[in-house]
Amino acid sequence: MTFKVNLRQRTKEISEQVWYKTKVPMQDQVLQLGSKTLKSQRTLSSYGIDKETTIHFTLKVVKPTDEQLPLVLVEPGDEEQRHDLQVRRSSSVAQVRQVFQTQRAVTPKKLIVAC
């Protein structure tokens, strides 16, 4: 992406332009100049940025939580039976299948999972 900017602009304004073009929320953006992470309240000129400077845009890494999630398990078929389960965010499909088997005492042949 290329932007026309004024060196008096704050980094926050660049983040707003990135959000407008990418729809990536500003709080999830990281703007970097070399190894420096740009702070939202500083101006571009305070970093020594000039006409041909490249600012790198990356995304913040969000650590996943292991919270409990409600999960609806649907058995395909004429009746499409639905089962409400509570599983951890980190649960694998095999673990979800095990939770279902434990609660229903049945081994499902095919499962459609909707979170």
Side-chain angles (χ1 to χ4, degrees):
M1 290 178 280
T2 303
F3 299 105
K4 291 188 181 206
V5 297
N6 180 315
L7 294 179
R8 291 184 302 273
Q9 283 182 289
R10 301 202 180 279
T11 304
K12 179 181 179 179
E13 295 171 62
I14 306 306
S15 289
E16 290 169 350
Q17 290 181 25
V18 170
W19 171 80
Y20 182 76
K21 280 198 171 189
T22 66
K23 301 304 182 219
V24 173
M26 291 171 51
Q27 67 269 16
D28 295 339
Q29 299 175 22
V30 178
L31 298 179
Q32 293 183 302
L33 178 64
S35 61
K36 290 182 185 176
T37 298
L38 306 184
K39 297 185 182 187
S40 63
Q41 295 308 314
R42 286 186 58 183
T43 62
L44 297 177
S45 63
S46 73
Y47 288 103
I49 292 172
D50 62 21
K51 185 177 180 182
E52 297 298 320
T53 301
T54 299
I55 297 173
H56 296 275
F57 163 67
T58 58
L59 298 173
K60 284 185 182 176
V61 175
V62 179
K63 292 181 182 178
T65 62
D66 201 27
E67 64 187 308
Q68 287 276 350
L69 294 175
L71 182 115
V72 176
L73 196 110
V74 179
E75 288 185 82
D78 294 337
E79 296 114 31
E80 282 198 352
Q81 293 182 1
R82 301 172 73 81
H83 307 279
D84 294 322
L85 303 174
Q86 287 289 324
V87 297
R88 295 221 168 267
R89 181 179 293 276
S90 61
S91 298
S92 67
V93 172
Q95 290 168 324
V96 171
R97 183 182 295 265
Q98 183 64 40
V99 168
F100 180 79
Q101 287 174 315
T102 301
Q103 289 186 4
R104 302 291 298 162
V106 163
T107 303
K109 294 178 184 164
K110 180 179 176 183
L111 300 176
I112 299 171
V113 179
C115 298

